[in-house]
Amino acid sequence: MQHGPAVRRRKLGAELRALRTSAGLTSGEAARLVGWHQSKVSRIETGTSGVKPADVRLLLDAYGVADMQLRELLTVLAGSDDSGGRHHWWHAYRGVLPPTYRDFISLESQATAMRTLETTVVPGLLQTPEYARAVTRAAVGNLPEDRLDTLVEVRLARQDVLRADPPLELSAVLDEAVLRREVGGPGVMARQLERLVEAARLPHVRLRVLPFAAGAHIGVTGPFVILSFMSTSDLDVVVLDHLTSSLYLERKEDLRAYTEAFNSLLVHALSPEDSLDFIAGTATGA
């Protein structure tokens, strides 16, 4: 398990190495093309040193990479404040957001699909403003109102990935406890459940409820997120949230284990259609 920046360096280096190999270049030849020493290329590819976004673009040019989506993703992995001249909105919150949260947002913004298990609260991408405020206040505590306002603002800004073109494909398994826990009080929870019903009807959002009747399941170990990317599955990553930080799992065996766990949860969960009825019934008190 690694923190976000280390994962990003390793994944970026591995992808750049694969692109160099596909271009038929040795590390020495690549270094000469961009005017560097060969050791710099090696350090980048092994993830032992960081790399500037401008240097990533230089290497991609040398390797003849024209795929704009891939170029954008690899630039984001470099930790860019500016990718091809486009400012990323979350950098405006540097003084408020911890680095691991900014790392998560940057990866989320480039992901094409997200699979998530939630066992206690509604996924952040589907929270109403009132629900987000109540969850943030409970999770962080003793926050000045202006800081709380900012964190809620960030949470809501993240939801733009569901309105993008193309939108993020979201597949979420929600433990029944998520629907039963009255976060913020009955009124807030009622509006949140209505929001889930609306979201479940979107073509790119698939919600599955894991009812209490399903009994014990592999998800009792806790929530997780799997982020996937269109350009290459080698960049897929599992994210585990903790109270003060997030951990990233990048090994193929970890990805395989969590993918199998998610698929196992789907077997025990209600169908999307039955889940929609279940959420709607919970909202009306049925």
Side-chain angles (χ1 to χ4, degrees), residues 112-131:
T112 54
M114 175 190 289
R115 286 165 288 174
T116 181
L117 164 67
E118 291 291 349
T119 58
T120 54
V121 297
V122 170
L125 294 182
L126 301 177
Q127 292 178 6
T128 65
E130 298 85 0
Y131 187 97

Side-chain angles (χ1 to χ4, degrees), residues 23-265:
L25 298 170
T26 66
S27 58
E29 290 169 338
R32 285 192 292 274
L33 281 175
V34 296
W36 299 346
H37 193 279
Q38 187 269 341
S39 62
K40 180 174 180 177
V41 174
S42 296
R43 289 195 303 271
I44 291 171
E45 290 184 352
T46 56
T48 55
S49 68
V51 55
K52 297 178 180 178
D55 288 344
V56 170
R57 290 192 286 270
L58 197 61
L59 288 173
L60 295 177
D61 289 342
Y63 303 158
V65 178
D67 184 333
M68 294 307 298
Q69 185 176 32
L70 179 58
R71 290 176 68 97
E72 170 78 1
L73 173 57
L74 295 182
T75 304
V76 168
L77 288 177
S80 171
D81 282 353
D82 176 81
S83 177
R86 185 168 67 84
H87 181 70
H88 293 298
W89 64 266
W90 54 89
H91 291 292
Y93 299 93
R94 272 188 182 277
V96 178
L97 305 181
T100 52
Y101 193 17
R102 296 201 307 269
D103 286 331
F104 179 81
I105 294 173
S106 70
L107 292 174
E108 181 182 69
S109 73
Q110 292 300 315
T112 54
M114 175 190 289
R115 286 165 288 174
T116 181
L117 164 67
E118 291 291 349
T119 58
T120 54
V121 297
V122 170
L125 294 182
L126 301 177
Q127 292 178 6
T128 65
E130 298 85 0
Y131 187 97
R133 176 175 291 274
V135 166
T136 304
R137 190 189 300 278
V140 183
N142 299 319
L143 274 179
E145 283 301 310
D146 58 343
R147 180 86 179 270
L148 180 61
D149 290 343
T150 299
L151 291 177
V152 173
E153 181 179 306
V154 169
R155 179 70 53 89
L156 299 179
R158 283 176 48 206
Q159 298 177 4
D160 283 345
V161 295
L162 296 177
R163 295 183 285 269
D165 185 18
L168 177 77
E169 297 284 338
L170 175 62
S171 179
V173 174
L174 308 181
D175 191 275
E176 185 176 342
V178 172
L179 310 179
R180 301 293 184 188
R181 180 172 289 101
E182 283 195 355
V183 174
V188 170
M189 199 61 204
R191 288 187 290 274
Q192 178 60 70
L193 291 174
E194 290 172 2
R195 168 74 179 112
L196 286 179
V197 170
E198 295 170 1
R201 293 182 173 133
L202 295 174
H204 55 282
V205 175
R206 181 159 294 204
L207 302 185
R208 304 280 294 269
V209 174
L210 195 61
F212 291 147
H217 51 77
I218 196 168
V220 297
T221 56
F224 60 86
V225 172
I226 306 173
L227 292 172
S228 299
F229 302 87
M230 181 181 296
S231 299
T232 170
S233 63
D234 288 341
L235 294 174
D236 290 1
V237 63
V238 176
V239 186
L240 306 177
D241 273 334
H242 293 263
L243 183 61
T244 58
S245 65
S246 297
L247 291 174
Y248 295 69
L249 285 72
E250 58 172 326
R251 298 183 307 168
K252 290 185 182 298
E253 50 265 44
D254 291 326
L255 286 164
R256 183 167 54 251
Y258 276 87
T259 297
E260 290 175 355
F262 188 82
N263 291 338
S264 173
L265 291 169

